[in-house]
Amino acid sequence: MTAPVTTALIVVDVQNDFCEGGSLAVTGGAQVAADVAELIASGTYGTVVATRDHHVDPGSHFSDTPDFVDSWPRHCVVGTPGAELHEPLHADLFAATFFKGEYEAAYSGFEGHDADGTTLADWLRAAGITDVDVVGIATDHCVRATALDAAREGFGVRVVEGLTAAVTSANLPDLRTELTAAGVVVAPSR
């Protein structure tokens, strides 16, 4: 089944540091990378974009004694292998990539910008996108923030939960409630 031309796929932070073996690994991250790559290859979406953590010096977002709420171990530092997309994903699969968090904490892809400085919201509107499907890592952090911001920006939003990985799966029932209350559709799969 092909998505309408006005629906884009947003792939959130499927980077090496968030997959097994990374500095802030999320269980199931590597499987998300493989499954998302397969979805992209299927041609379901005409427009596919990515977000990436892109840390230079995000201040208190990094900590040697992280609380895993506001502070985290070092991850996705610019120029390191951990900041790269996890195989089989690679940059040329995406129409654009939006980088976030250079000098401060950033969870939502809507806080980022592409190489030309264009925000995700502006880029999507310029491409004629009205709806987005959100997948990636982590369901309960950056996927959540990206989906909520997409809804605030006026896009129709669906989180495809089967193509995400959560830091804490116990958070998912409350997260589903929060997303639904914001007008986001939570679907188990595409």
Side-chain angles (χ1 to χ4, degrees):
M1 185 166 96
T2 303
V5 296
T6 57
T7 300
L9 180 67
I10 301 176
V11 179
V12 176
D13 300 359
V14 184
Q15 295 167 263
N16 289 329
D17 271 347
F18 297 136
C19 294
E20 290 83 353
S23 67
L24 192 51
V26 176
T27 301
Q31 188 64 55
V32 167
D35 292 346
V36 168
E38 185 177 310
L39 176 61
I40 293 169
S42 75
T44 300
Y45 295 89
T47 303
V48 182
V49 299
T51 71
R52 286 175 53 187
D53 261 15
H54 195 71
H55 297 311
V56 175
D57 181 7
S60 62
H61 184 62
F62 284 169
S63 173
D64 292 334
T65 55
D67 63 15
F68 297 93
V69 176
D70 297 312
S71 61
W72 305 88
R74 293 177 63 79
H75 61 277
C76 300
V77 174
V78 174
T80 67
E84 298 304 315
L85 293 167
H86 190 76
E87 289 292 335
L89 297 175
H90 47 87
D92 62 353
L93 293 175
F94 303 101
T97 298
F98 297 86
F99 300 95
K100 59 190 177 66
E102 286 93 342
Y103 296 99
E104 60 189 1
Y107 294 90
S108 170
F110 287 86
E111 296 176 82
H113 55 82
D114 68 8
D116 296 325
T118 304
T119 66
L120 177 54
D122 289 344
W123 191 97
L124 291 169
R125 287 189 187 100
I129 300 300
T130 59
D131 297 272
V132 296
D133 286 355
V134 183
V135 301
I137 305 171
T139 321
D140 44 344
H141 293 280
C142 296
V143 169
R144 171 193 170 273
T146 299
L148 291 172
D149 279 356
R152 279 188 209 95
E153 289 285 345
F155 295 97
V157 185
R158 180 171 66 159
V159 170
V160 183
E161 193 173 28
L163 295 173
T164 69
V167 171
T168 308
S169 59
N171 293 341
L172 294 179
D174 288 344
L175 175 60
R176 289 182 197 111
T177 300
E178 178 186 18
L179 291 172
T180 301
V184 174
V185 173
V186 180
S189 63
R190 171 79 191 133

